[in-house]
Each structure stands twice: as C-alpha cells, then as structure tokens.
C-alpha cells in the first residue's frame, strides 16, 4: 500500500508542517548533522552557531556501538534509550530529524528510531531549505528534562553480514547499494583504507542522490518508484539496503517507507564490513 503524497509524521514532513507545530510542547526537533571528513565541517560547531529553535543535537557516533571497530553500527538498545532520555525525547513526542546537508544523515537517525520501535520523521530539505525560506534559527540551547521512552525493538529491520551473505548467495532479496556508481563498479577507490573496491554480488546500484530533487528534498512517490525501477529493483520482493557505512543506505529505506514497501532492512556493516573480508566474494562493473 502506497503512502499518500504529503506530510507523514512516520516518514517525511515539510518545512511548512514543522513551522506550524514549532511551539508544540510535544514536539522534539533533532539535529543529526554528520559529514564525510573531506567536507571540512564540524556539525556540533554549526549547531552551536545556528539551529532550528528547540532543536537538540545528536551526534551519530554517540548513538552508535562504540565496541565495534566498524563505523556507525547500531547501538545496544540501552545506549540509544539513555541518550534519548538525556536529551528529553520520550513517549508521546512528535520527533522531527534534520541535518545540515538537506537530506543526508538525518535518515540514519530516523532508521534507528524505527529499529527501536519509535516513530519519527525526517524534515524534507533539512536546514538548508528551512534557512532558504527565511525561517527562524537560534544559537540558544533548549531546556531539557529527562523523558522516559518505551522501547519496542524491530530486529527484522537490520541484517548482519552472515544473513546478507546467505541472501546474496540464494538470491532471496533485492540488495540495493546507495554508494556512488563509480564505487559500486569498483572504478573508484574506497575512502576507507584497506577496503576492496566493488559491490556485493547480485546487488543493484541506486546512488542515494537519484532519490532527491535538486533542492535536496525527496522526490514524490512516482519519482522514487521510477528510480528503483530504473535501477532494476523489483519492489514486489524484499529489499536490503547497503552503502559505505550504513548512513546513506537509510535514505533508501526512507524512500521505501514512503512507497509503503513492507519488507525492507538495512545491512548495518555495509561496505565497511563486506569490503574488509577477503573470503566474501565481490563483483565489479555494472552487474
């Protein structure tokens, strides 16, 4: 069943939707900005300079599994709940997540909320669209009170390397890679040292930018569906998303949720894990 176009507090909301509710006591706005190292940006410093009024900052590394050698792995439930409680996010809140790139890392935090059974939405176009429209920003920090959150874990939304290897071998699902096409083909070196170049055998290439408009907003349902179909993805089958380190793959999951796709999961280790192990097969080229 396809979700109707427009604002949906479980997936994506517009700047108009957020502006109309900005003073609601039940609203929690989260800045989940994160950038690749070559971007030269400090998301916490940017937040300190200007953020949407009332927004709390969430560093992705602080809601990741610090025990893992892999980047951005999903944290234990207790760590996620503790972090949310400390920034005053809990039961009954409308949660809206944005980032400073438009629609990039916010989707990762949105996916973590889903993984732990919580509803949240991504702000379509993020902070750039909000600012471009002349909407308010501030450097003032919000007052925070602890808030209890009741977890309802959804482990089926995440796949590990063993599961993905089995699924790839048997062709049990569509595996969709959000990295740039050159990295998928193996034509470009991986930014992380020691990783092989290429992709999971049988995977389809759908760079996340193909799901976005030029202004950083997400395409309408018709455009999302067309992008998946052009990539050769059968949306009647289960889908597993992957990318470099599990961040941009979540944009694909957000798009699938917008399309009402009922069976999609994220490979959390992504290429940072798969590309590291020589005993896992890789493919190069377009297929």
């Amino acid at each position: 069943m396809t979700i109707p176009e427009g604002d949906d507090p479980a997936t994506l909301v517009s700047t108009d939707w957020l502006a109309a509710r900005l003073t609601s006591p039940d609203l929690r706005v989260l800045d989940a900005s994160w950038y690749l190292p070559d971007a030269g940006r400090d998301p916490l410093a940017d937040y300190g300079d200007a953020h949407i009024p009332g927004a709390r900052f969430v560093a992705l590394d602080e809601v990741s599994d610090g025990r893992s050698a892999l980047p951005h792995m999903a944290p234990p439930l207790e760590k996620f709940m503790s972090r949310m409680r400390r920034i005053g996010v809990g039961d009954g809140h409308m949660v809206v997540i944005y980032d400073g790139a438009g629609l990039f890392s916010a989707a990762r935090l949105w996916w973590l909320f889903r993984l732990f059974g919580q509803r949240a939405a991504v702000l379509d176009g993020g902070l750039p669209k909000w600012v471009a429209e002349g909407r308010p920003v501030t450097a003032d920090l919000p007052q925070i009170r602890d808030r209890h959150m009741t977890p309802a874990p959804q482990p089926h939304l995440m796949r590990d390397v063993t599961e993905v290897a089995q699924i790839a071998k048997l062709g049990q699902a569509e595996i969709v890679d959000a990295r740039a096409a050159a990295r998928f083909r193996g034509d470009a070196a991986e930014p992380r040292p020691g990783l092989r170049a290429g992709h999971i055998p049988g995977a389809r290439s759908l760079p996340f930018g193909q799901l976005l408009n030029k202004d950083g907003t997400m395409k309408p349902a018709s455009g999302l569906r067309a992008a998946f179909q052009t990539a050769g993805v059968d949306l009647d089958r289960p889908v597993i998303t992957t990318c470099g380190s599990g961040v941009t793959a979540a944009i694909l999951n957000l798009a699938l949720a917008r399309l009402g796709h009922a069976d999609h999961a994220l490979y959390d280790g992504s290429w940072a894990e798969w590309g590291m192990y020589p005993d896992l097969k890789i493919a190069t080229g377009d297929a």
Side-chain angles (χ1 to χ4, degrees), residues 135-168:
R135 301 186 190 273
V137 293
T138 184
D140 296 338
L141 300 179
Q143 292 186 340
I144 294 175
R145 296 182 178 86
D146 282 6
R147 181 73 171 255
H148 174 73
M149 179 180 285
T150 304
Q154 306 292 313
H156 64 282
L157 298 179
M158 181 171 67
R159 293 286 181 262
D160 64 24
V161 65
T162 302
E163 292 171 316
V164 174
Q166 180 75 359
I167 289 167

Side-chain angles (χ1 to χ4, degrees), residues 233-264:
V233 179
D234 183 351
L235 290 174
D236 290 328
R237 303 185 68 215
V239 176
I240 296 173
T241 68
T242 183
C243 62
S245 62
V247 175
T248 59
I251 300 173
L252 273 60
N253 292 94
L254 178 62
L256 290 164
R258 289 288 288 174
L259 290 172
H261 194 288
D263 190 356
H264 58 94

Side-chain angles (χ1 to χ4, degrees), residues 75-187:
L77 181 150
E78 295 79 10
K79 182 176 182 179
F80 183 80
M81 295 300 165
S82 173
R83 176 58 176 152
M84 292 303 106
R85 183 172 61 249
R86 282 193 286 129
I87 61 172
V89 178
D91 295 340
H93 283 149
M94 296 184 296
V95 176
V96 177
I97 307 164
Y98 73 87
D99 61 56
L103 205 167
F104 184 60
S105 53
R108 173 66 185 190
L109 185 57
W110 167 84
W111 177 77
L112 287 174
F113 268 83
R114 291 190 77 234
L115 182 66
F116 296 118
Q118 307 298 312
R119 192 170 77 158
V122 172
L123 180 63
D124 201 14
L127 188 62
K129 188 171 190 292
W130 181 270
V131 171
E133 294 169 345
R135 301 186 190 273
V137 293
T138 184
D140 296 338
L141 300 179
Q143 292 186 340
I144 294 175
R145 296 182 178 86
D146 282 6
R147 181 73 171 255
H148 174 73
M149 179 180 285
T150 304
Q154 306 292 313
H156 64 282
L157 298 179
M158 181 171 67
R159 293 286 181 262
D160 64 24
V161 65
T162 302
E163 292 171 316
V164 174
Q166 180 75 359
I167 289 167
K169 180 179 180 180
L170 300 177
Q172 295 172 318
E174 300 278 24
I175 300 174
V176 189
D177 194 322
R179 293 177 299 159
R183 290 174 64 189
F184 177 87
R185 292 191 302 265
D187 296 340

